[in-house]
Amino acid sequence: MLRLAALLFCGLISVAQAQLPDRPVRIVLPSPPGGTADIVARLLAETAAPHLAKGVVVDNKPGANGNIALAEAARGAPDGSTLFLCAFGPCGANPSLYPQQGFDLKKDFAGLILVGSVQNVMTVRPGLPAATLQDVLALVKARPGAISFASSGVGASNHLGPEMLRSRFGLDWVHVPYRGSGPATTDLIAGNVDVFFDNVPSILPHLRSGAVRPIAVLSAQRAPELPEVPTFAEAGVPGVVIESWFGLIAPAQVPSGTLADLNAAFGKALADPALRRRFTELGVAPLGGSAQQATDHMHAEIARWAEVIRQNGIRAE
């Protein structure tokens, strides 16, 4: 009887494991090694590996604002072995900026799980004569075409945030795109650009040193790392909430059972206390939830930023 029970138990385990890929799961990244997305992906892969049959590997495919990596993931086998780490640009802005990508993000991919979010903060160069958000808005209105804002590229959160303000307040300020937040920060410190919306973890050392000044946080709550900095709503501009986010998606043909088991495996990783502690140290709020929640979030982001891109006539460069 015990032997029969053991065989039945082993059979149940085999059935459960059959829903997972029988080869390593590959997370395709749209960014080079070393950035926040890369660190997040590698921490997640390391923690999730024991919960997957063959482990997890991270594959960096930077270039073309994330479209190279997305195309690579779209070609992946529909067995759950190829995933894509979504970020704000590739899974929010790109469908409107690049309508001829060769794939449809909403039709060709399914959400798997939300991984984490990162708060953004509006910062200014040290010499800019503005101490508050209202000061900045007044300055831009008083000096049309003279105040500049940096971004890490067309369609990034630090580009579309200022564009939201442009359409909402009729601002005439100049967009200066850079190839990444590092060069943008360098020019902000040097005084070559006036304003930069950046991820809190990236800009935090320069805020603490006084090299740049914080104005307001673009989230519903203040950033734990910047408790003295108000939110946009507290500064008198409600409705401007922009957070960078990460999430895993899979090719739409992956069976629902496989998606469910992958969601459970990565969900266990995201619940791991050590992973949550490391995420928090990086300024990343760990998330999680169902595959449907991940899908709904991605679709909502696509719709939200399509309107901003349309209103401001933004085009890929």
Side-chain angles (χ1 to χ4, degrees):
M1 191 68 171
L2 287 174
R3 179 177 176 80
L4 178 60
L7 289 171
L8 288 172
F9 180 69
C10 289
L12 289 172
I13 291 177
S14 296
V15 170
Q17 288 182 338
Q19 299 293 310
L20 290 170
D22 61 357
R23 51 181 166 174
V25 172
R26 180 173 63 127
I27 299 176
V28 183
L29 249 67
S31 56
T36 302
D38 181 70
I39 296 171
V40 164
R42 293 182 187 280
L43 285 171
L44 181 63
E46 179 183 353
T47 311
H51 305 296
L52 294 162
K54 301 292 184 177
V56 191
V57 296
V58 175
D59 188 6
N60 300 87
K61 297 284 184 181
N65 278 3
N67 290 329
I68 290 174
L70 266 171
E72 175 80 11
R75 292 191 293 266
D79 61 355
S81 62
T82 300
L83 307 177
F84 178 80
L85 185 74
C86 267
F88 180 101
C91 295
N94 279 14
S96 296
L97 290 172
Y98 304 94
Q100 306 300 323
Q101 292 174 300
F103 53 84
D104 187 319
L105 193 63
K106 293 174 69 173
K107 293 180 180 179
D108 296 334
F109 287 93
L112 177 58
I113 195 167
L114 291 171
V115 174
S117 64
V118 180
Q119 290 175 292
N120 291 345
V121 60
M122 179 185 194
T123 64
V124 299
R125 62 178 174 85
L128 193 73
T132 68
L133 178 56
Q134 297 299 331
D135 290 343
V136 174
L137 297 177
L139 185 64
V140 178
K141 290 179 179 179
R143 300 170 59 185
I147 304 300
S148 60
F149 68 87
S151 82
S152 57
V154 174
S157 61
N158 48 37
H159 173 212
L160 296 185
E163 295 293 356
M164 283 183 71
L165 295 181
R166 183 196 299 276
S167 58
R168 181 166 174 178
F169 294 102
L171 301 182
D172 179 9
W173 54 358
V174 180
H175 175 215
V176 183
Y178 291 83
R179 293 188 176 183
S181 61
T185 302
T186 298
D187 261 13
L188 182 71
I189 293 170
N192 297 325
V193 287
D194 299 306
V195 180
F196 184 38
F197 292 48
D198 198 17
N199 294 340
V200 171
S202 299
I203 201 76
L204 189 60
H206 306 293
L207 293 172
R208 286 176 171 165
S209 71
V212 299
R213 290 190 289 108
I215 295 296
V217 176
L218 293 91
S219 52
Q221 294 83 30
R222 294 191 181 198
E225 303 89 345
L226 300 168
E228 75 287 355
V229 179
T231 66
F232 261 58
E234 291 172 332
V237 182
V240 179
V241 176
I242 304 169
E243 293 186 346
S244 300
W245 59 279
F246 304 109
L248 289 176
I249 60 175
Q253 298 85 359
V254 174
S256 59
T258 301
L259 276 179
D261 282 359
L262 285 168
N263 174 274
F266 284 104
K268 290 175 183 177
L270 288 166
D272 184 271
L275 177 73
R276 297 180 73 86
R277 184 169 56 253
R278 285 291 293 118
F279 270 23
T280 301
E281 290 170 355
L282 289 167
V284 178
L287 297 175
S290 69
Q292 188 60 51
Q293 287 174 314
T295 299
D296 291 345
H297 181 80
M298 180 175 70
H299 290 185
E301 285 287 279
I302 291 171
R304 180 189 187 195
W305 296 111
E307 182 63 15
V308 173
I309 289 166
R310 184 193 63 79
Q311 286 181 346
N312 291 279
I314 300 170
R315 303 183 186 280
E317 296 178 359

